[in-house]
Amino acid sequence: MKTLIKNGTILTTTGEIKADILVDGEQIAAIGKDLQGPFDKEIDAAGKYVFPGGVDNHAHFEALNTDGKTTNAGYETTWCTLLGGTTTIVDFCTNEPGMSLCESIDYRINTRAKGRVSPDFALHACCVDYRGEESLAEVEKLVEMGVPTMKLFLAYKGTALYMDDTKLLAFMKEARKHGMTMMVHAENPDVLDDARDSAAAEGHYEPKYHYMTRPQWGEAESVSKAVRFATATGCPLCVVHVSCEEAGEVIKEARAKGAPVMGETCPHYLVLDPHLMDNPDWKQAVHWICSPPLREEPDREYLWKALNNDTLSILGSDNSSIPQYQKEWGFDEELGCVDFRKVPNGCPGAPDRLNVCWSYGVAKGKMTKEKFVEINMEYPAKVNGLYPRKGTIQVGSDADIVIFDPEYRGTWSLESNPNGLTYQPYEGCEQIGRAETVLLRGKVVVDDAKYVGQPGDGQFIPGKPYGMAYDLLEK
Ligand code: URP
Ligand code: ZN
Ligand code: ZN
């Protein structure tokens, strides 16, 4: 099957090109003018931007909730990410009960994900069942299985998610030997627990106490530790979901000194206001409970700048597909009201990531189109060892292509921006531009802004070791 995408403007990390793209089967076969037919299909992209399908570094579609016991279930909802222009998700794979890390990856690819995932997917290992030498020996095997990244939670103490310094250090040393990149959720759990328990002791349980009890300094302190561990072990590190200036500045200083450290932030930290959690209707307010929490305007403005000046390198969604009934687990029968400490943390957002970045960044003149492609496509693909198969429009790359209409105007709603859940954190926000057509490995999966693909279209894409963060190591 040969498809010609003609008359569009291709966006890259270095500029714009007016050229046509020939897709042959699943790959890009040629880029240029006057490409020779015959073609089976022609797509006219006049007046549209054409860019690589988004690569989302940070998704929890089928994840252990932050209580460390229950899971959310979301692979059936992954079709929504294609509508939002993201063609590859990197999902977190925690240990399945009783399974090792490698067994869990195998189970994830061959059982859980089978026939259910719509975009292509890669995986980060995520240890929640540390078995000493046995787990450490798995690092090499994970890399061989195409999983060259791991996330460890330095927060959520008292749950299976939490990893102490002994485990962090041991995993980092092992990861460095095999080209694995470490990712961390950095918040000091003792700082949080002190504030959270003090609030509860004073009778404060409402959702707003979530953001009031997770101070910036607790995040920055944990980032500092992880950065020092990375420097000492030489293990490249990506600090995910950086939410504030204090934490971002730690990364900036570390990078200036040559530490092998990168940072990610998320769309909700760029645009959503923590006071959404002040809503007296707690069933609504809990929608924005995520960690680190949403921050005030100065931190949000800092994050835009940090993406633009290369302090932070990636925009990941941190999509958590937590259904409403699970969000309502925060209700405490004994108290007769919600207890913010019991609400599973996380917001949906993978389908919204590119639209938020374009609407509030590119369209408002706060970000260049080049940066948009860099932080949403190219760098996440490079960090995860997926480049140049993913994250770029090049001859030989997978034909994951978005044809984007910059003239579209809309208002965020569940109807126009579905996420497979019954609530939409960006409800009412102004949208500028949207994906009109999306190709996944050459197949049209979004046509006229409607999903036309099938669950199971997505394939597991193995990542290669020594991703982009390794380039920061002194040679
Ligand atoms: O609140 C969040 N971010 N939930 C998802 C799990 C995590 O911490 O990344
Ligand atoms: Zn996290
Ligand atoms: Zn996360």
Side-chain angles (χ1 to χ4, degrees), residues 58 60 66 151-153 156 184-187 240-241 291-292 318:
H58 192 154
H60 307 269
T66 49
K151 179 182 179 188
L152 297 180
F153 288 94
Y156 306 123
V184 288
H185 175 128
E187 286 180 293
V240 296
H241 52 43
S291 294
D318 198 3

Side-chain angles (χ1 to χ4, degrees), residues 56 61 66 69 86 95 128 163 169 219 271 305 321 329 332 375 391 423 432 465:
D56 188 352
F61 273 102
T66 49
K69 292 185 207 135
T86 288
N95 294 84
V128 298
M163 291 285 126
L169 184 60
E219 184 180 341
V271 299
K305 290 194 193 100
S321 296
W329 282 338
D332 186 293
I375 62 171
Y423 62 96
I432 302 175

Side-chain angles (χ1 to χ4, degrees), residues 320-341:
S320 298
S321 296
I322 304 174
Q324 178 71 29
Y325 81 91
Q326 293 191 353
K327 280 284 185 186
E328 291 183 17
W329 282 338
F331 185 79
D332 186 293
E333 293 290 346
E334 265 176 49
L335 290 173
C337 63
V338 68
D339 180 344
F340 71 95
R341 297 171 302 172

Side-chain angles (χ1 to χ4, degrees), residues 61-357:
F61 273 102
E62 200 86 8
L64 190 63
N65 280 324
T66 49
D67 59 8
K69 292 185 207 135
T70 58
T71 49
N72 59 53
Y75 280 153
E76 275 85 9
T77 70
T78 53
W79 61 271
C80 303
T81 68
L82 292 166
L83 272 183
T86 288
T87 48
T88 305
I89 55 171
V90 191
D91 205 40
F92 288 90
C93 178
T94 47
N95 294 84
E96 297 286 344
M99 286 192 205
S100 71
L101 288 163
C102 292
E103 286 164 352
S104 306
I105 293 285
D106 183 61
Y107 180 75
R108 179 65 65 119
I109 297 167
N110 295 309
T111 305
R112 263 195 196 235
K114 254 288 129 352
R116 297 173 64 216
V117 184
S118 297
D120 279 353
F121 67 101
L123 293 169
H124 303 293
C126 187
C127 186
V128 298
D129 178 8
Y130 183 73
R131 304 174 183 180
E133 288 303 323
E134 186 192 330
S135 302
L136 298 175
E138 287 194 283
V139 168
E140 183 174 11
K141 291 188 207 132
L142 287 166
V143 170
E144 283 164 15
M145 292 171 88
V147 181
T149 48
M150 176 181 281
K151 179 182 179 188
L152 297 180
F153 288 94
L154 312 185
Y156 306 123
K157 204 169 185 175
T159 76
L161 297 168
Y162 174 65
M163 291 285 126
D164 64 21
D165 292 352
T166 309
K167 296 167 188 165
L168 174 66
L169 184 60
F171 266 130
M172 282 185 123
K173 284 183 182 169
E174 199 60 26
R176 171 70 185 92
K177 288 186 211 159
H178 302 291
M180 176 180 269
T181 300
M182 191 57 65
M183 304 194 166
V184 288
H185 175 128
E187 286 180 293
N188 180 313
D190 299 315
V191 171
L192 309 182
D193 284 347
D194 177 60
R196 285 152 69 79
D197 294 343
S198 301
E202 287 166 19
H204 301 311
Y205 296 99
E206 306 94 290
K208 69 180 175 188
Y209 284 94
H210 177 75
Y211 70 78
M212 292 167 74
T213 57
R214 293 182 100 93
Q216 285 92 337
W217 76 269
E219 184 180 341
E221 191 283 331
S222 184
V223 173
S224 303
K225 177 178 75 180
V227 162
R228 279 173 173 74
F229 276 42
T231 307
T233 59
C235 177
L237 173 73
C238 177
V239 182
V240 296
H241 52 43
V242 175
S243 74
C244 61
E245 174 168 2
E246 206 167 328
E249 285 298 288
V250 176
I251 294 172
K252 187 175 177 181
E253 281 166 31
R255 284 168 69 79
K257 287 185 193 151
V261 176
M262 299 182 75
E264 172 211 74
T265 189
C266 313
H268 40 285
Y269 299 122
L270 294 172
V271 299
L272 294 180
D273 193 287
H275 297 283
L276 288 159
M277 280 174 269
D278 299 350
N279 190 331
D281 179 354
W282 68 268
K283 292 188 180 182
Q284 299 291 322
V286 292
H287 296 157
W288 294 280
I289 289 188
C290 64
S291 294
L294 303 180
R295 306 289 192 191
E296 305 278 355
E297 176 81 14
D299 277 325
R300 301 202 292 273
E301 284 312 307
Y302 172 85
L303 294 173
W304 283 110
K305 290 194 193 100
L307 285 169
N308 283 321
N309 68 22
D310 208 30
T311 296
L312 301 176
S313 313
I314 299 178
L315 190 68
S317 72
D318 198 3
N319 180 96
S320 298
S321 296
I322 304 174
Q324 178 71 29
Y325 81 91
Q326 293 191 353
K327 280 284 185 186
E328 291 183 17
W329 282 338
F331 185 79
D332 186 293
E333 293 290 346
E334 265 176 49
L335 290 173
C337 63
V338 68
D339 180 344
F340 71 95
R341 297 171 302 172
K342 294 188 176 166
V343 180
N345 290 193
C347 298
D352 309 303
R353 183 178 63 118
L354 301 183
N355 288 327
V356 169
C357 190

